[in-house]
Amino acid sequence: AVVLDRPVASPAGGGQPSDTGSLVAGDVVFSIESVIAGKDDGVVRHVGAFEEGAKTFEVGAEVTVKVDQDARVLHARVHSAGHLLDVAMANVGYPSSVLAPAKGLHQPDQAYVEYDGKVEGLDKDLLIRSLNDEMSKLVGAGGKTCSKLMPYDEASKACGGSLPPYIEPGSSPRVVVILPDTEGCPCGGTHVEDVADVGAFTVTGVRVKKGVTRVSYTIEGMKGHERK
């Protein structure tokens, strides 16, 4: 793995894949297959391989980071769509006090958000239609996203009054507010600047199992996306 003094490529996390691309120094090229942030030390490591026959980097060498822009933009759109889905859920009658966002997967070939809780007698087909309609309105209207580091108490307030237990008290987590005047959440991923950039969105299924409600979705550009 290669470690840089100032990482540029975004590491994997929160269900979002890492950037890919390459590191270049003269005629030496290292292909980036994944970027990983150490859980214990926080060090960002670029995992991959040097091109066949290439030398390795010397410690202290200056390198150029080349990121696959198309992949980064798609990852940001898929991830942002998951945050916007939380807003849509609240708008159609299921706020975080009823179905609390728990975790998500935001991959180019599969995406979903899981909510802690279930609604007795939930009409899944009606929910799918309602969410698709609401997401169409939200994306169509657009709105600027905001992502910044906040002191712990400010972040807690922005995120509905509490933070997940993995956020250490006294720390300054990065919080994303996907639309003005909506509930934020701690997140280290990448996001679009405006939710209009999410593009065409389709809820593909709702599953309720063991007290967890999973909403699966696709967006334009994802594998298997079909616009409804």
Side-chain angles (χ1 to χ4, degrees):
V2 177
V3 177
L4 304 180
D5 62 341
R6 292 181 295 164
V8 174
S10 178
Q16 179 180 339
S18 74
D19 280 335
T20 55
S22 61
L23 305 176
V24 181
D27 59 354
V28 181
V29 179
F30 179 88
S31 295
I32 304 171
E33 298 173 0
S34 64
V35 185
I36 302 171
K39 292 183 178 180
D40 296 325
D41 57 15
V43 174
V44 175
R45 296 175 171 84
H46 302 75
V47 179
F50 287 95
E51 288 191 351
E52 187 175 351
K55 301 176 182 179
T56 61
F57 298 133
E58 296 290 337
V59 175
E62 183 175 300
V63 301
T64 298
V65 182
K66 297 184 177 180
V67 172
D68 184 329
Q69 185 68 12
D70 289 341
R72 170 177 274 200
V73 169
L74 178 59
H75 297 167
R77 290 176 55 234
V78 176
H79 192 170
S80 299
H83 287 297
L84 194 60
L85 181 61
D86 296 341
V87 176
M89 284 288 281
N91 289 354
V92 301
Y94 302 104
S96 59
S97 58
V98 178
L99 293 176
K103 67 176 183 178
L105 183 68
H106 313 289
Q107 303 281 340
D109 58 352
Q110 183 184 22
Y112 61 76
V113 178
E114 290 186 342
Y115 299 86
D116 285 337
K118 64 179 182 178
V119 177
E120 295 298 333
L122 178 67
D123 186 330
K124 297 178 184 178
D125 290 335
L126 176 59
L127 177 59
I128 290 173
R129 292 195 300 271
S130 298
L131 287 173
N132 281 330
D133 288 345
E134 184 61 25
M135 285 294 292
S136 180
K137 293 176 183 176
L138 291 172
V139 172
K144 297 295 183 180
T145 67
C146 177
S147 180
K148 64 179 181 179
L149 296 175
M150 295 184 181
Y152 186 87
D153 289 343
E154 182 182 342
S156 178
K157 183 178 180 181
C159 296
S162 64
L163 292 171
Y166 63 82
I167 304 294
E168 295 185 7
S171 64
S172 296
R174 184 166 173 259
V175 173
V176 60
V177 178
I178 201 67
L179 273 178
D181 302 319
T182 63
E183 192 172 297
C185 70
C187 183
T190 58
H191 309 87
V192 296
E193 293 184 1
D194 191 299
V195 297
D197 297 329
V198 166
F201 174 103
T202 302
V203 172
T204 57
V206 174
R207 188 189 76 176
V208 181
K209 186 177 181 180
K210 296 182 179 179
V212 174
T213 299
R214 174 186 288 186
V215 180
S216 299
Y217 66 91
T218 65
I219 67 167
E220 187 175 3
M222 285 180 62
K223 183 179 179 180
H225 173 75
E226 293 183 8
R227 189 164 186 170
K228 301 295 184 180

